[in-house]
Amino acid sequence: MSEDCIFCQIVAGDIPSRTVYEDDTVFAFLDANPLSPGHTLVIPKAHHERLNDTPADVAGEVLSTLHELVPAVEAAVDAPASTVAFNNGEAAGQEVPHVHGHIVPRFEDDGGRPIHALVTDRPDLSDDELDDIEDDIVAEQA
Ligand code: AMP
Ligand code: ZN
């Protein structure tokens, strides 16, 4: 547990939450400032700042819980769709430094936008640049 982490304090029960799922590893609760009815956050109980810091087995359990909860959340609020996403790091808009997946129920004509609307100025990458990026990502996994 990280003493000054708000999500660790939620897991510990020191801050109240509307809990929708809990097991030994994972915790899920309603977002206190929801983007839509049913907006849910899924977190590991242990403090890991972002996906990059999260052990693979824990990340797998978070994803597995997202997989279970997405249909339950959608059904609970009668949503035909949802946006499921991580703000992974401060530059990506992560405000709480304890990794969390968002389930944001979506509705026809809700005025929300797709992930493709995250960026307004898309980079104009050449084929060579794309080839280099492809190679670099493959090399980083070696
Ligand atoms: P992010 O910007 O991805 O770090 O998202 C953090 C989310 O945590 C926001 O959607 C907040 O509304 C939510 N949040 C912050 N504090 C609480 C809290 N005490 N209980 C529930 N959700 C919270
Ligand atoms: Zn934490």
Side-chain angles (χ1 to χ4, degrees), residues 102-125:
H102 293 257
I103 303 171
V104 183
R106 298 294 304 272
F107 303 87
E108 299 294 343
D109 304 321
D110 64 6
R113 304 205 291 168
I115 279 190
H116 295 84
L118 280 177
V119 169
T120 45
D121 290 326
R122 295 191 189 203
D124 187 13
L125 297 167

Side-chain angles (χ1 to χ4, degrees), residues 47-121:
H47 183 82
H48 305 291
E49 192 163 325
R50 47 185 291 199
L51 273 175
N52 314 38
D53 313 308
T54 306
D57 58 334
V58 175
E61 298 217 29
V62 170
L63 185 58
S64 166
T65 302
L66 282 164
H67 180 252
E68 289 286 325
L69 280 179
V70 162
V73 169
E74 289 183 3
V77 297
D78 206 17
S82 51
T83 297
V84 181
F86 290 77
N87 291 322
N88 191 42
E90 204 174 339
Q94 184 178 356
E95 292 180 354
V96 177
H98 180 133
V99 62
H100 50 281
H102 293 257
I103 303 171
V104 183
R106 298 294 304 272
F107 303 87
E108 299 294 343
D109 304 321
D110 64 6
R113 304 205 291 168
I115 279 190
H116 295 84
L118 280 177
V119 169
T120 45
D121 290 326

